Amino acid sequence: MADHQPFPPGARRGERPAAVSACPSCGDLAGRGYPECRFCVELVDQVWLPDWQALLAAEQLSEGGAGERELAELVLEDEVGRYSWTCTDWAMTLVRCSACDAEPATGPVDCLRCSMAEAARWSWDHSSSGRITPSEHALRVARAVLRAPHRSRDVVAATWRLLIPFLLVGELATAGQVQRLRAQVLAGQYEDLAACATHERLVGLPEIYWRRDEDARGDHQVRLDHPRGPRAPSPVEQVTSEA
């Protein structure tokens, strides 16, 4: 086995896009078509795939080879923090849920094993003592939600879909901005929001008046709504899958 450091960082090998641009395949901002659009899939997954490829190389295995699925199973069964969060996520795409036969954490909402896989995924973030940045965590949540939008409320999936092109280039919204964005989606303004070509414009549209008092609180932080681990994250680490 390869030599591992505790909680190795993820998403530091692949190249991120330098700027947000239109997808040549689906026509939306690149990333928003994930996971249906092939170009958007390649763009988003390029954040994850290089770490998995490096692990395969360290184990002297090849993509698609006989040992890749066995490695994926090992990664998911091993102790939290032995592999990077990107490798954990990628391993989940290579195995099947023993209960519903879907990719773990993407099956029907009533699949208990998928719910357990989803909760276990976030143990890395809670236990890593800041080894994952808020930007990386937000991108991780966005990808997880978009791979199984039926497991979240429609407004949650729509909000992350709006944000993911900007997350890919390193933009990160505050809690208040995300809450206001969600309120605008609920108010039926998704198409107007999707037409915003910059992050500043997307998060800077006028507030929905009935959310103003609530959203005025906590612009400096985002809270976690996915299952909590034993350690309470500090404000700077917190990002919500319900944002």
Side-chain angles (χ1 to χ4, degrees):
M1 296 296 294
D3 187 22
H4 296 273
Q5 60 172 305
F7 293 98
R12 313 287 171 85
R13 300 176 189 270
E15 291 188 9
R16 301 282 193 96
V20 174
S21 61
C23 172
S25 180
C26 69
D28 209 332
L29 292 186
R32 277 202 187 134
Y34 190 86
E36 289 82 16
C37 170
R38 185 181 184 88
F39 182 91
C40 290
V41 167
E42 292 180 355
L43 182 69
V44 173
D45 283 353
Q46 184 55 34
V47 178
W48 277 258
L49 183 57
D51 290 335
W52 182 254
Q53 291 172 328
L55 179 59
L56 285 175
E59 302 298 336
Q60 299 183 341
L61 298 171
S62 58
E63 286 186 74
E68 186 176 29
R69 177 164 178 164
E70 286 80 359
L71 177 61
E73 292 172 346
L74 175 62
V75 167
L76 296 175
E77 291 170 359
D78 214 328
E79 60 186 279
V80 175
R82 182 166 174 79
Y83 301 94
S84 69
W85 58 270
T86 43
C87 286
T88 296
D89 287 353
W90 199 266
M92 292 175 72
T93 70
L94 299 176
V95 302
R96 310 303 292 178
C97 172
S98 61
C100 70
D101 201 41
E103 175 186 317
T106 70
V109 293
D110 61 352
C111 178
L112 179 59
R113 289 193 177 276
C114 277
S115 296
M116 292 172 62
E118 174 68 6
R121 179 207 304 267
W122 306 111
S123 297
W124 204 104
D125 304 56
H126 293 304
S127 307
S128 65
S129 300
R131 298 299 294 274
I132 184 170
T133 68
S135 179
E136 291 166 351
H137 176 73
L139 187 57
R140 188 185 193 199
V141 172
R143 180 180 180 271
V145 169
L146 294 182
R147 289 187 75 85
H150 59 285
R151 296 183 65 87
S152 301
R153 288 182 293 161
D154 289 346
V155 65
V156 172
T159 301
W160 285 117
R161 191 170 298 282
L162 287 167
L163 286 169
I164 196 168
F166 304 102
L167 295 175
L168 287 168
V169 300
E171 300 277 8
L172 182 63
T174 66
Q177 289 170 337
V178 175
Q179 294 291 343
R180 287 192 291 272
L181 183 59
R182 186 170 66 179
Q184 289 157 350
V185 172
L186 283 169
Q189 297 183 15
Y190 183 90
E191 295 302 324
D192 292 337
L193 294 164
C196 297
T198 67
H199 184 260
E200 180 178 9
R201 179 163 175 75
L202 177 67
V203 301
L205 290 181
E207 298 177 35
I208 303 299
Y209 75 93
W210 47 270
R211 295 300 295 268
R212 181 171 295 130
D213 289 342
E214 176 183 339
D215 292 338
R217 300 193 298 269
D219 262 19
H220 63 289
Q221 67 178 21
V222 183
R223 60 186 176 80
L224 280 163
D225 277 350
H226 55 60
R228 293 183 180 274
R231 183 183 67 84
S234 64
V236 72
E237 297 172 329
Q238 298 175 358
V239 179
T240 177
S241 61
E242 285 290 304

